Amino acid sequence: MRILLSWLREFVEIPFEPRKLQADLTSIGLSVEAVTSSGSDWLLDVEVTTNRPDCLSHYGVAREIAAAYRTTIRPLKFEVQESAEAASERVSIEISDSSLCARYCGRIVEGVRVGPSPEWLARRLEAIGQRPINNIADITNYVLMELGHPLHAFDFDRIQDRRIIVRRARAGELLQTLDGIERRLTANDLVIADAARPVALAGVMGGQNSEISPQTRVVLLESAWFDPVSVRRTAKSQGLHTEASHRFERGADIGMAPVALDRAAAMVAELSGGKVLRGRLDVYPAPQNREAIVLRQSEIARVLGTEIAPSEVERILVALGFAVEAAAAGWCAQPPSFRLDVRREVDLIEEVARQFGYDRLPARVRSVSPRLERDVEREKILALSRLLTGLGYREIIPSSMVDPKDNALFTNRPPVALANPLSQDASVLRSTSLVSMASVLAFNTDRGQKDLSFFELGKTYEARANAHPAEHRVLALGLTGNRRPPSVHEPAREAKFFDLKGDVESVLELFELPELRFEEERCLAYEEGLAGRFVSGTTVLAALGRLKPDIQRRFKIRAEAWLAEIDLDQLLAFPLKQPMLRPFSRFPTVERDLSLVVPMGLPYRRIAEAIARLGIEEIYSVEPLERKAAAELPAGLVPEGHASLFLHVTFQSLTRTLTGDEVDEAAGKIYSALESLGVRLRA
Amino acid sequence: MTVDQKVRQTLAELGVTESAGVVALFAEVCETMERERRELVNRVAADKAERDRACKELRDRWLARKNGLLSLVDERWLKKAPRELKPVVGQHFNALRKASEQLEVGVLAREMKCRVAASAGAVLEARSPIVAGTTVLSGVSPDLTLPSIRRPLGSMHPVTRVLREIEEIFIALGFRIETGPEIETVEYNFDALNIPETHPSRDDWDTLYVDEKTVLRTHTSPVQIRAMRKYGAPLYVIAPGKVYRHDKPDSSHATMFHQVEGLAVDRDITFADLKGTLDYFAKRFFGEKVRTSFHPSFFPFTEPSGEVAISCTLCDGRGCRVCKESGWLEVMGCGMVHPEVLRQGGIEPEEFTGWAFGMGVERYAMMKYGIDDIQLFFQNDVRFLKQF
Ligand SMILES: [Zn+2]
């Protein structure tokens, strides 16, 4: 709300410069976004929260300032000169649905001359961002900005049968509003109608059929109070937000309706040469009386943490327009008609606190008694992110919203579609983290960044038929480019499947996982033969692989990309590994290198399993040091369809130094166990 | 292409025009040489004649005057190297030659004998080091002023950094962390928080909808209700997480961002606790010298409601461009929990009182790290990420 300092000063004395006023208004809850000079005047941009429609005017802001500065607001000065003829002879006003319109006041001004507003008025409106139209429309606008009450002016000669009826629209009824749009109404919309047709959308906008024009001679001024919920519903369904609807839907001041009307009538008479007919029509079927609210002094202390002197409480409430009476444990306070937001005891306490000053209230800091339970989940998350940053991964936070076409490249799981997305490429909540990881890799390789390792701790979302969408926590990993950049010391080495596999293993290794195994596995987004997963028991914990080249090209990722998605809902359900010391040997290790020839189709896993099945306690470790297919070796070294495998086996006993014979015997057992798999010793 | 093939071509034919390519080529040769050497010495051969034959074979393959791999490197790579690459090729060739001394028959045989002994039961000493890098190979004392060998370290996203920092301050005060779904019901996101559809305050949150009853949560406040219903009072929780708004992205707006919501409900909780705790938080987070100021505001779920401003961290409250000359920066919304919200959470407002706050994590990160565009957080440009 734009407020002119000079206008404010018509109602309240402000003995301070604008900067000080800005700070003081902020401290009572009227945040001033900006103070700018406007000629010799000052313009304040006041942010009025939705609960305070009473401050959407100069008079309303002045009222708050008067309370804060302990002064009084000046009464409005105007006089309505009435002619002899009674307005009630000329028009009848009827409210047919008083639940939607509690009060309707009207006055008639005849003999008006419609034309431009005087300069001072036009200037004021322009200064606060309003466009002058003609003197009649400008006056209703001026009074709105001054007193906060929305008014409407009809060309009375165009009101059929001189009747005003406030009623619900009939379904399908049409009304062309002042913005030129023809609107189809429903029975939920409240209209102002004449004998034949709607002439205004109540509290929102007037109709063209009764618009003020240069030919207008008689004006009917309307000042009413419409139900906030009804105005809001109509404004929303019609997509029409106006200064009037803005105030009515927040709750206008029913007590201000006749005052604003008189103020406008007086101005119309003065500025357009018209005559105000005698009498104000005021249809007010059930005058509203605000109920008094009990305010206990003890409750003030219970909420604010301090006593506030009773005299101060009273002073504040009275200054804000409340009718205050002493009661047993405190007060009874009746809110003024412009404070519809105050309905409870705690609302009164806020009023007191606000005007007393939040900064003057006490402060204390206490800590809660210590918790016994541990936040195990947080410990797990912290362990994961420490590990991954240590492994060289950078954390990313991509948007959850993606293009459904991209999402579908990675998974068949349905994403969650938004009803009102901002754009097509952010119209669903992703059902896979891989789509985001691929986008981030693409974004970076596109900017010349080559060696990338990223992780994300995020969520995926899943649409479910007839059920609330599901959310799954995931950990995504993405690699591209070199695992080790080239340097003066070492050549570069590109990231490969086994880098990713190893990092996923490191992640899994933080947890106590029974029967963990790796399996080759297909996946929509991964290249066949370069994809796999980790499984514990029957629980799939992670899927990883090389991004399919066609997807990689589509995303414009410049090099091979390796991706993994780890199911955190599953993984976090397992406990973190707890160290438990096992004895280790004091005796020396003995190492043997076994040079083997293995059939190409035999996975290493089966060799490792065969050795493990031997159950030889003295085998400390088995490491494959090299595996080469026949084609990679000098001709004749290894037969066609076979590969050479170099196994490095370490033996150690917990109880003694192993002899050469013992080790040879164990090595012999390994050979014979492997022979049944088609493995032979290399010559 | 195998090493055998590569050494038969010139650098130009191999397409190597920069020293990085040279380094890579020599590394490959060194690796191959070392692998073959290891294969040989690891071969268990008891017969001395057989051992000697194998050693000579490997030695000749590499060191023979004529057509030995090293002489080929000398001829094709070094002699035919373009002038600008000569020094680097020469340097690496020298290192290679030095390393190739390991291939002399005597050395190999010694090593093999040692292996045979080991396989006969003796304990092995540490294996001979695997030689991979050219600086180590050179055998001359290295230039220690060269850059170090570093394992690249990762980094935490700045939002996570700030989030963790915020969390830790409140954990130390005894708060627990609570999370909730990002796809929320209208009931939890609005209705239970005293934000009815019929009130314009609903419009303060530009909302992304899944359907009429389901939204992307516009704040983490629904977690308040969930936590109250789950644990009852007394209750001390913070709720960090992603929130969503139907906002056109620009340098200060994002459709997705992070919030931390806090809630304390107990007997004897007053506005003084709210002020004291948030002042403590601000000092811990922004620095001990920071002062706080509280002024009234409006949130449907708190009453009284307030905004917290801190003295501008840039100008210390004197007024500057960042604080729009006011000396203050607004950092969060807060208030005493509205009795209706307590009731919605199943807590009796005549017995318990509570205070709550909500803060935007990106804004804090922007203030803390001097970031002026919120979009940077979600682009995940590695040049941005690596600074944290
Ligand atoms: Zn500043």
Side-chain angles (χ1 to χ4, degrees):
Chain A
M1 171 88 204
R2 297 196 204 183
I3 297 288
L4 271 180
L5 189 58
S6 62
W7 206 339
L8 273 185
R9 282 189 158 136
E10 289 179 12
F11 302 115
V12 66
E13 191 177 338
I14 300 170
F16 304 110
E17 45 98 27
R19 285 272 169 207
K20 159 95 170 120
L21 179 63
Q22 175 181 26
D24 292 338
L25 280 171
T26 301
S27 77
I28 57 168
L30 288 168
S31 193
V32 181
E33 299 285 282
V35 179
T36 42
S37 66
S38 161
S40 58
D41 210 344
W42 290 89
L43 192 65
L44 310 176
D45 193 357
V46 181
E47 195 196 354
V48 180
T49 51
T50 49
N51 60 327
R52 295 300 304 273
D54 61 299
C55 290
L56 290 170
S57 67
H58 287 78
Y59 190 72
V61 173
R63 214 156 37 198
E64 283 287 325
I65 295 172
Y69 288 164
R70 303 189 180 214
T71 173
T72 47
I73 187 152
R74 293 190 192 112
L76 294 165
K77 274 181 293 183
F78 61 83
E79 215 176 303
V80 187
Q81 307 272 358
E82 295 180 328
S83 67
E85 191 185 347
S88 57
E89 303 285 306
R90 294 279 289 277
V91 63
S92 85
I93 295 173
E94 176 191 330
I95 299 175
S96 83
D97 193 334
S98 61
S99 69
L100 301 187
C101 174
R103 188 174 200 177
Y104 196 102
C105 307
R107 270 190 184 273
I108 290 176
V109 189
E110 64 177 7
V112 303
R113 272 189 310 280
V114 177
S117 294
E119 206 182 310
W120 67 267
L121 197 160
R123 279 244 186 99
R124 258 199 179 170
L125 287 180
E126 277 168 344
I128 58 169
Q130 301 290 317
R131 191 173 53 88
I133 301 163
N134 58 48
N135 49 4
I136 307 297
D138 293 350
I139 286 165
T140 58
N141 220 356
Y142 184 89
V143 175
L144 172 70
M145 295 301 162
E146 182 175 72
L147 301 178
H149 200 84
L151 303 169
H152 185 62
F154 296 98
D155 181 339
F156 189 59
D157 290 331
R158 295 164 76 181
I159 299 294
Q160 295 195 13
D161 284 0
R162 301 169 164 190
R163 284 180 65 195
I164 287 291
I165 306 156
V166 187
R167 61 161 169 88
R168 286 174 185 267
R170 297 182 189 103
E173 214 165 10
L174 297 174
L175 172 67
Q176 191 160 23
T177 41
L178 289 175
D179 52 9
I181 296 172
E182 175 136 294
R183 300 182 183 269
R184 182 172 294 273
L185 308 176
T186 73
N188 281 329
D189 299 319
L190 189 72
V191 295
I192 315 301
D194 61 14
R197 59 204 176 142
V199 290
L201 205 46
V204 182
M205 191 178 266
Q208 278 193 340
N209 55 15
S210 54
E211 185 182 4
I212 302 293
S213 73
Q215 289 74 45
T216 301
R217 290 293 166 259
V218 186
V219 167
L220 170 67
L221 288 169
E222 163 200 289
S223 183
W225 193 92
F226 299 112
D227 175 55
V229 173
S230 159
V231 171
R232 176 170 167 77
R233 192 166 44 212
T234 294
K236 281 217 124 174
S237 67
Q238 295 291 349
L240 191 54
H241 187 93
T242 61
E243 293 283 352
S245 73
H246 188 78
R247 286 164 179 79
F248 279 124
E249 67 176 15
R250 282 160 174 70
D253 176 5
I254 203 163
M256 183 57 85
V259 182
L261 178 68
D262 287 359
R263 169 77 167 139
M267 282 180 78
V268 171
E270 188 188 327
L271 301 179
S272 76
K275 278 209 173 90
V276 183
L277 298 197
R278 180 167 53 82
R280 183 203 309 133
L281 289 107
D282 188 352
V283 185
Y284 194 7
Q288 291 181 1
N289 223 346
R290 297 298 306 279
E291 280 206 14
I293 304 165
V294 173
L295 174 59
R296 293 164 291 174
Q297 204 169 353
S298 61
E299 190 67 3
I300 297 179
R302 190 173 83 106
V303 173
L304 299 183
T306 185
E307 305 275 342
I308 292 188
S311 58
E312 179 72 351
V313 173
E314 276 170 41
R315 180 196 70 77
I316 290 170
L317 292 177
V318 169
L320 291 173
F322 291 80
V324 182
E325 267 178 46
W331 302 269
C332 264
Q334 187 189 27
S337 58
F338 52 86
R339 291 304 302 275
L340 294 180
D341 60 310
V342 178
R343 284 183 307 234
R344 298 164 176 268
E345 187 176 22
V346 72
D347 298 332
L348 291 172
I349 295 173
E350 182 179 63
E351 293 306 299
V352 172
R354 194 167 69 76
Q355 287 279 344
F356 182 80
Y358 282 8
D359 280 338
R360 287 171 64 205
L361 290 168
R364 69 173 172 185
V365 57
R366 303 178 293 178
S367 54
V368 188
S369 50
R371 317 186 74 83
L372 198 55
E373 69 193 297
R374 293 170 59 169
D375 190 341
V376 179
E377 188 152 307
R378 180 178 158 85
E379 287 170 19
K380 291 173 182 173
I381 297 279
L382 291 181
L384 281 173
S385 80
R386 267 197 306 268
L387 170 71
L388 288 162
T389 50
L391 288 174
Y393 285 81
R394 298 194 186 281
E395 188 187 17
I396 58 168
I397 302 185
S399 170
S400 318
M401 287 162 285
V402 301
D403 189 321
K405 290 198 295 290
D406 291 343
N407 191 83
L409 295 173
F410 293 84
T411 182
N412 293 321
R413 196 190 259 184
V416 178
L418 296 175
N420 60 335
L422 276 133
S423 62
Q424 170 64 22
D425 61 10
S427 60
V428 298
L429 289 177
R430 64 183 189 176
S431 58
T432 166
S433 63
L434 302 179
V435 61
S436 316
M437 185 57 79
S439 305
V440 172
L441 289 174
F443 181 92
N444 281 287
T445 56
D446 198 36
R447 282 155 184 79
Q449 304 297 312
K450 291 187 183 110
D451 308 331
L452 304 168
S453 314
F454 291 131
F455 78 100
E456 183 202 351
L457 286 159
K459 275 184 174 178
T460 61
Y461 312 82
E462 183 182 6
R464 293 187 299 185
N466 305 317
H468 192 80
E471 297 179 22
H472 308 284
R473 284 175 303 175
V474 294
L475 163 61
L477 302 182
L479 284 177
T480 187
N482 287 320
R483 176 64 157 191
R484 186 180 64 206
S487 76
V488 63
H489 310 288
E490 294 168 310
R493 188 173 70 67
E494 280 193 347
K496 47 182 151 191
F497 182 82
F498 297 97
D499 290 309
L500 183 66
K501 186 185 175 193
D503 292 339
V504 172
E505 271 170 359
S506 301
V507 164
L508 300 180
E509 213 164 81
L510 289 172
F511 296 83
E512 199 72 63
L513 297 170
E515 300 168 56
L516 184 66
R517 64 183 188 280
F518 175 83
E519 296 171 351
E520 287 178 286
E521 174 71 18
R522 289 166 190 227
C523 170
L524 195 56
Y526 298 145
E527 204 178 342
E528 216 177 311
L530 281 172
R533 62 184 196 179
F534 281 95
V535 183
S536 167
T538 55
T539 308
V540 179
L541 291 172
L544 58 151
R546 182 184 156 184
L547 184 61
K548 275 185 182 162
D550 58 323
I551 304 180
Q552 183 195 317
R553 274 193 299 275
R554 199 185 135 132
F555 273 75
K556 301 200 176 75
I557 302 173
R558 298 288 163 91
E560 290 178 359
W562 304 95
L563 306 179
E565 189 176 77
I566 295 164
D567 184 337
L568 279 191
D569 284 337
Q570 299 284 5
L571 186 62
L572 296 181
F574 291 96
L576 282 176
K577 229 170 230 170
Q578 285 303 317
M580 187 55 70
L581 188 66
R582 285 185 308 192
F584 49 92
S585 175
R586 300 181 285 117
F587 300 96
T589 58
V590 185
E591 299 173 40
R592 284 293 155 84
D593 289 316
L594 311 184
S595 188
L596 307 173
V597 176
V598 301
M600 279 301 281
L602 180 71
Y604 174 76
R605 193 186 68 223
R606 297 204 32 218
I607 294 173
E609 283 168 359
I611 297 174
R613 261 199 306 276
L614 289 171
I616 301 173
E617 273 180 23
E618 287 77 20
I619 297 178
Y620 179 79
S621 70
V622 180
E623 301 161 72
L625 287 189
E626 189 180 278
R627 186 183 184 279
K628 287 228 147 163
E632 299 170 86
L633 293 165
L637 216 52
V638 160
E640 233 4 73
H642 286 69
S644 74
L645 178 70
F646 220 77
L647 275 192
H648 184 73
V649 187
T650 307
F651 299 87
Q652 193 179 33
S653 162
L654 274 173
T655 54
R656 64 189 189 286
T657 300
L658 293 172
T659 66
D661 287 347
E662 281 176 303
V663 173
D664 286 342
E665 193 193 324
K669 280 185 188 165
I670 293 176
Y671 280 132
S672 39
L674 296 184
E675 253 170 10
S676 61
L677 298 174
V679 175
R680 282 178 293 114
L681 258 182
R682 203 169 120 188
Chain B
M1 211 187 292
T2 64
V3 163
D4 291 67
Q5 289 164 323
K6 284 187 183 169
V7 299
R8 287 177 167 81
Q9 298 191 10
T10 64
L11 293 178
E13 288 164 336
L14 289 166
V16 173
T17 55
E18 294 172 334
S19 44
V22 172
V23 172
L25 272 177
F26 274 95
E28 200 183 339
V29 173
C30 278
E31 267 171 23
T32 308
M33 188 172 84
E34 171 57 18
R35 198 182 58 239
E36 290 181 13
R37 190 191 67 81
R38 211 174 60 216
E39 262 175 36
L40 178 79
V41 300
N42 276 324
R43 233 146 84 190
V44 182
D47 177 13
K48 181 172 184 304
E50 151 76 1
R51 275 202 315 260
D52 289 346
R53 194 190 56 70
C55 291
K56 183 165 181 336
E57 196 178 290
L58 184 68
R59 188 249 161 222
D60 288 345
R61 168 170 157 73
W62 285 89
L63 300 179
R65 281 272 156 87
K66 206 168 169 217
N67 286 335
L69 294 179
L70 252 72
S71 69
L72 289 171
V73 169
D74 186 11
E75 253 173 66
R76 305 288 154 93
W77 291 5
L78 182 57
K79 297 214 170 98
K80 298 203 171 143
R83 191 177 338 154
E84 68 276 14
L85 284 180
K86 270 249 161 76
V88 61
V89 177
Q91 185 195 338
H92 281 82
F93 183 65
N94 283 338
L96 182 66
R97 218 159 38 197
K98 178 89 185 155
S100 71
E101 286 168 16
Q102 298 283 320
L103 297 181
E104 289 303 339
V105 173
V107 180
L108 286 172
R110 233 187 350 266
E111 178 98 31
M112 269 182 98
K113 245 201 327 237
C114 168
R115 286 284 165 140
V116 172
S119 61
V123 176
L124 260 189
E125 291 179 7
R127 271 187 289 146
S128 52
I130 294 173
V131 185
T134 45
T135 44
V136 178
L137 266 179
S138 73
V140 296
S141 55
D143 175 359
L144 298 185
T145 64
L146 284 171
S148 55
I149 300 177
R150 305 224 6 211
R151 261 162 277 194
L153 286 180
S155 52
M156 258 193 324
H157 194 281
V159 166
T160 309
R161 271 181 81 121
V162 167
L163 207 49
R164 298 266 156 83
E165 217 176 304
I166 295 170
E167 287 170 3
E168 263 141 38
I169 295 171
F170 284 100
I171 287 171
L173 287 171
F175 285 64
R176 83 159 84 210
I177 296 180
E178 195 63 21
T179 54
E182 292 169 24
I183 305 173
E184 260 297 2
T185 60
V186 167
E187 192 220 327
Y188 274 105
N189 195 74
F190 290 125
D191 299 338
L193 289 166
N194 211 20
I195 316 170
E197 206 278 319
T198 52
H199 195 269
S201 59
R202 176 75 72 95
D203 300 342
D204 287 347
W205 292 270
D206 293 314
T207 311
L208 282 158
Y209 285 87
V210 172
D211 57 43
E212 273 173 16
K213 290 190 183 128
T214 317
V215 298
L216 303 193
R217 66 177 177 195
T218 55
H219 40 205
T220 46
S221 315
V223 181
Q224 279 190 24
I225 303 289
R226 290 178 178 276
M228 284 191 278
R229 290 184 185 174
K230 187 164 156 196
Y231 303 107
L235 179 66
Y236 293 84
V237 289
I238 57 167
K242 291 192 172 87
V243 300
Y244 300 85
R245 297 284 168 87
H246 194 277
D247 259 341
K248 263 226 151 60
D250 62 27
S251 66
S252 54
H253 295 87
T255 15
M256 180 189 89
F257 56 100
H258 295 74
Q259 262 192 357
V260 178
E261 180 94 6
L263 172 72
V265 181
D266 209 335
R267 294 179 183 87
D268 187 32
I269 282 217
T270 72
F271 200 79
D273 295 295
L274 174 159
K275 281 189 65 176
T277 312
L278 294 180
D279 179 72
Y280 170 81
F281 167 79
K283 288 183 162 62
R284 280 286 307 268
F285 188 86
F286 292 106
E288 284 167 47
K289 281 192 198 143
V290 153
R291 284 157 289 129
T292 52
S293 174
F294 293 73
H295 62 260
S297 185
F298 169 69
F299 305 105
F301 33 88
T302 50
E303 188 82 18
S305 301
E307 289 277 352
V308 186
I310 59 164
S311 51
C312 178
T313 46
L314 226 72
C315 65
D316 201 20
R318 282 184 297 271
C320 69
R321 193 178 47 84
V322 170
C323 58
K324 292 188 200 147
E325 306 303 330
S326 71
W328 295 97
L329 297 168
E330 279 189 16
V331 291
M332 67 180 117
C334 62
M336 299 298 288
V337 182
H338 196 286
E340 194 48 48
V341 173
L342 286 174
R343 201 165 279 133
Q344 286 284 344
I347 291 173
E348 173 49 51
E350 282 292 316
E351 185 181 357
F352 290 97
T353 44
W355 63 269
F357 67 84
M359 50 179 84
V361 181
E362 279 76 6
R363 181 163 152 70
Y364 282 35
M366 289 167 95
M367 288 167 70
K368 194 144 189 149
Y369 305 128
I371 300 165
D372 60 3
D373 182 353
I374 197 170
Q375 298 305 323
L376 286 170
F377 291 113
F378 310 109
Q379 282 169 354
N380 298 295
D381 190 318
V382 74
R383 293 165 296 184
F384 170 80
L385 297 175
K386 66 166 49 153
Q387 300 187 38
F388 299 96

